[in-house]
């Protein structure tokens, strides 16, 4: 494929994606396939001779689409949102085209510097304390990780390294192995201090946890994977109160801030805590500016060596939506969640199982777990909408998450009518 054909096929692919989004509402949200469906549809080995783009694209529709769960469908209410927007998609194309592997400043200065600035932009949007920002001469800063799980692991390893070195400085006779055997990581059943837990979007009490961690010299990491995007709205910023006590903080713009996966934003108060744990400096990666104090080499902030130019997605989205546009998007989703909550409350057969704070509603039929398991089974087998469950205090609960960028009130009303009808069939059976 030369540049001439790339221009032609690239336009065709953009048209295909645009058509996909325009017609997405008509596609069945949840696939009707069995495990192993795909293998019989493709050859056992790669073709020896090249095949045409037309044939490949036809097979996307014939082979791939039947097995796709359509996360961006307005009838997808499972898990949490996965962000999608056209500016982010365009930025991803540019990122792939440039093909930067940004393990150091010298490997591509723009790749590194834009990321530093974008994490400062985002930090200011959610009113993070100044210590978490890089600024011109700050000790903190932000970095894009692949996921919140990755961010948690990175901070756990950094905390371990920092603690070992502190204890060794106080007790030089102790070996690293001696110290390691006595280290303790404190966690709840959500692992770390969490704002917006996955099952029910509950919030830990940072103003109580934080001072204890600071007093006991315990590294506190806060995970706000889903909820963090809402903190750009002043009315939800109070949910982040107490972050000032934390050593690190993370949330996923790729969940609810219209920045396509993967883009997990993580900040630390002292970036040296990361670089001391992950520093990797062979001669072939060194460059003449690395000791200047003016540059960041992000390979020292993460587990992988290489990294893509992911900050382009943030730059495009933040500029083309603006903070006000992003706030309107968050508020719309929250409003729709309360609309669904009110529909549930009007039906005495159902109950709300957790406070509806953002875009998640936890609800169930009053009755046994088995009854609610049967309801969920009937919902997902009908494949008109898609939900997933959780357990809250040993109760089987249905989660209704506002997810799609294109979801509107009409889809909420349809979903509730569908759920209500299936509940009636189940209760009358």
């Amino acid at each position: 494929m030369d540049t001439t054909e790339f221009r032609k096929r690239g336009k065709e692919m953009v048209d295909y994606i645009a058509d996909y989004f325009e017609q997405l509402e008509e596609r069945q949200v949840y696939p009707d396939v069995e495990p192993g469906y795909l293998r019989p549809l493709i050859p056992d080995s790669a073709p020896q001779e090249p095949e045409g783009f037309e044939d490949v694209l036809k097979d996307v529709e014939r082979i791939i689409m039947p097995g796709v769960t359509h996360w961006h469908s307005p009838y997808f209410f499972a898990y949490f949102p996965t962000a999608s927007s056209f500016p982010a998609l365009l930025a991803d194309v540019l990122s792939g085209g440039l093909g930067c592997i940004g393990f150091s400043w010298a490997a591509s200065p723009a790749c590194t510097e834009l990321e530093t600035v974008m994490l400062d932009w985002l930090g200011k949007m959610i009113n993070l304390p100044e210590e978490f920002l890089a600024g011109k001469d700050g000790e903190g800063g932000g970095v894009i990780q692949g996921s919140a799980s990755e961010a948690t692991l990175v901070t756990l390893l950094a905390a371990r390294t920092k603690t070992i070195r502190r204890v060794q400085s106080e007790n030089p006779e102790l070996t690293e192995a001696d110290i390691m055997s006595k280290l303790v990581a404190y966690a709840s059943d959500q692992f770390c201090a969490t704002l917006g837990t996955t099952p029910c979007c509950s919030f830990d009490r940072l103003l109580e946890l934080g001072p204890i961690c600071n007093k006991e010299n315990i590294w506190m990491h806060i995970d706000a994977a889903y909820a963090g995007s809402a903190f750009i709205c002043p009315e939800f910023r109070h949910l982040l109160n107490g972050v000032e006590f934390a050593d690190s903080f993370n949330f996923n713009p790729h969940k609810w801030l219209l920045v396509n996966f993967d883009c997990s934003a993580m900040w630390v108060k002292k970036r040296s805590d990361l670089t001391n744990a992950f520093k990797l400096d062979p001669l072939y990666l060194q460059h003449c500016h690395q000791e200047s104090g003016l540059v960041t080499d992000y390979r020292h902030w993460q587990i992988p060596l290489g990294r893509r130019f992911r900050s382009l997605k943030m730059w495009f989205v933040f500029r083309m939506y603006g903070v006000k546009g992003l706030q309107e998007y968050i508020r719309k989703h929250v409003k729709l969640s309360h609309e669904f909550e009110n529909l549930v409350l009007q039906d005495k057969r159902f109950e709300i199982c957790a406070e509806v704070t953002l875009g998640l509603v936890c609800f169930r039929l009053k009755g046994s777990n088995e009854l609610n398991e049967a309801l969920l089974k009937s919902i997902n087998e009908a494949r008109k909408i898609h939900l997933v469950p959780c357990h809250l205090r040993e109760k089987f609960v249905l989660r209704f998450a506002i997810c799609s960028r294109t979801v509107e009130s009409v889809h909420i009303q349809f979903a509730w009518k569908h759920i209500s009808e299936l509940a009636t069939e189940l209760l009358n059976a």
Side-chain angles (χ1 to χ4, degrees):
M1 184 180 286
D2 58 18
T3 54
T4 300
E5 186 178 5
F6 176 69
R7 289 180 192 277
K8 180 176 184 292
R9 302 308 187 187
K11 292 172 183 175
E12 290 176 9
M13 182 56 78
V14 169
D15 284 341
Y16 181 83
I17 294 171
D19 289 343
Y20 170 75
F21 276 100
E22 285 185 344
Q23 300 162 12
L24 185 51
E25 190 168 342
E26 300 168 16
R27 292 183 183 264
Q28 184 173 279
V29 62
Y30 192 60
D32 188 10
V33 296
E34 296 296 326
Y37 90 95
L38 188 143
R39 183 173 288 276
L41 300 179
I42 61 176
D44 287 337
S45 56
Q48 295 298 313
E49 300 296 329
E51 297 183 5
F53 179 80
E54 296 95 337
D55 293 331
V56 175
L57 194 56
K58 285 178 184 176
D59 280 347
V60 169
E61 198 63 42
R62 182 177 70 89
I63 299 171
I64 303 302
M65 284 301 177
V68 170
T69 299
H70 297 288
W71 281 67
H72 302 298
S73 167
Y75 299 114
F76 183 92
F77 302 105
Y79 310 107
F80 274 134
T82 179
S84 176
S85 68
F86 295 127
L89 283 172
L90 292 174
D92 245 350
V93 171
L94 179 57
S95 174
L98 295 176
C100 298
I101 309 297
F103 48 74
S104 72
W105 179 88
S108 190
C111 181
T112 293
E113 296 200 10
L114 185 64
E115 183 164 335
T116 302
V117 175
M118 286 303 98
L119 270 294
D120 274 4
W121 273 22
L122 185 54
K124 291 175 182 177
M125 285 163 63
I126 63 172
N127 197 22
L128 269 185
E130 191 75 23
E131 303 101 296
F132 287 101
L133 306 182
K136 293 183 179 178
D137 52 10
E139 293 185 4
V143 58
I144 299 174
Q145 304 286 1
S147 68
S149 304
E150 186 178 334
T152 300
L153 177 59
V154 165
T155 55
L156 183 66
L157 295 174
R160 183 183 70 177
T161 299
K162 182 177 183 179
T163 302
I164 288 172
R165 293 184 179 180
R166 174 176 57 81
V167 174
Q168 278 186 321
S169 68
E170 297 168 354
N171 305 275
E173 73 281 3
L174 295 179
T175 66
E176 184 171 319
D178 293 331
I179 300 168
M180 284 275 285
S181 67
K182 293 181 172 59
L183 293 182
V184 175
Y186 293 88
S188 69
D189 59 4
Q190 308 294 321
F191 190 85
C192 62
T194 306
L195 301 179
T197 59
T198 301
C200 64
C201 197
S202 62
F203 292 81
D204 283 331
R205 298 176 180 177
L206 300 186
L207 292 171
E208 296 179 23
L209 287 171
I212 295 172
C213 290
N214 287 181
K215 180 183 177 182
E216 301 297 335
N217 208 7
I218 297 171
W219 180 301
M220 184 167 80
H221 175 66
I222 298 171
D223 179 356
Y226 161 68
S229 297
F231 303 155
I232 68 170
C233 300
E235 64 268 33
F236 299 122
R237 174 53 180 80
H238 70 278
L239 296 169
L240 187 55
N241 289 349
V243 69
E244 60 271 18
F245 298 108
D247 297 274
S248 54
F249 169 72
N250 164 256
F251 83 91
N252 294 343
H254 69 228
K255 276 194 168 70
W256 204 15
L257 208 59
L258 297 174
V259 181
N260 291 43
F261 189 87
D262 60 335
C263 183
S264 186
M266 187 188 94
W267 292 265
V268 289
K269 277 184 179 172
K270 292 189 176 180
R271 55 181 177 265
S272 59
D273 290 338
L274 293 184
T275 58
N276 288 341
F278 296 100
K279 192 170 182 66
L280 179 68
D281 226 9
L283 183 60
Y284 54 82
L285 295 181
Q286 296 177 20
H287 56 89
C288 61
H289 296 286
Q290 68 183 39
E291 302 300 333
S292 69
L294 300 175
V295 302
T296 295
D297 287 340
Y298 274 122
R299 70 180 182 276
H300 303 318
W301 293 52
Q302 61 178 25
I303 294 171
L305 175 63
R307 57 210 331 276
R308 296 183 300 110
F309 202 162
R310 293 176 291 199
S311 58
L312 281 172
K313 295 184 289 190
M314 302 174 76
W315 194 43
F316 276 42
V317 168
F318 294 167
R319 293 182 66 186
M320 297 180 73
Y321 276 90
V323 175
K324 289 184 178 179
L326 294 171
Q327 289 172 335
E328 289 173 4
Y329 176 69
I330 296 291
R331 287 167 178 153
K332 173 188 171 184
H333 273 203
V334 175
K335 181 180 178 181
L336 290 174
S337 73
H338 287 296
E339 179 178 342
F340 184 81
E341 176 192 23
N342 288 333
L343 291 170
V344 176
L345 290 172
Q346 290 170 28
D347 190 325
K348 293 182 179 179
R349 301 174 301 173
F350 287 86
E351 60 183 343
I352 296 292
C353 304
E355 181 182 0
V356 179
T357 305
L358 299 177
L360 177 68
V361 182
C362 292
F363 72 106
R364 70 194 301 271
L365 277 170
K366 295 174 181 176
S368 68
N369 284 348
E370 290 74 19
L371 179 65
N372 283 278
E373 289 172 10
L375 175 59
L376 181 65
K377 186 172 185 289
S378 63
I379 290 170
N380 286 333
E381 285 183 348
R383 293 180 168 83
K384 292 184 178 180
I385 63 174
H386 187 41
L387 306 181
V388 295
C390 69
H391 276 111
L392 296 179
R393 301 180 186 91
E394 301 182 354
K395 286 186 176 182
F396 187 92
V397 172
L398 282 64
R399 297 171 73 261
F400 188 94
I402 309 298
C403 293
S404 171
R405 176 175 54 83
T406 59
V407 68
E408 300 288 348
S409 176
V410 63
H411 304 110
I412 304 302
Q413 297 289 333
F414 172 87
W416 174 247
K417 184 174 183 291
H418 179 57
I419 293 168
S420 180
E421 289 173 352
L422 290 175
T424 297
E425 291 178 13
L426 183 63
L427 292 170
N428 291 338

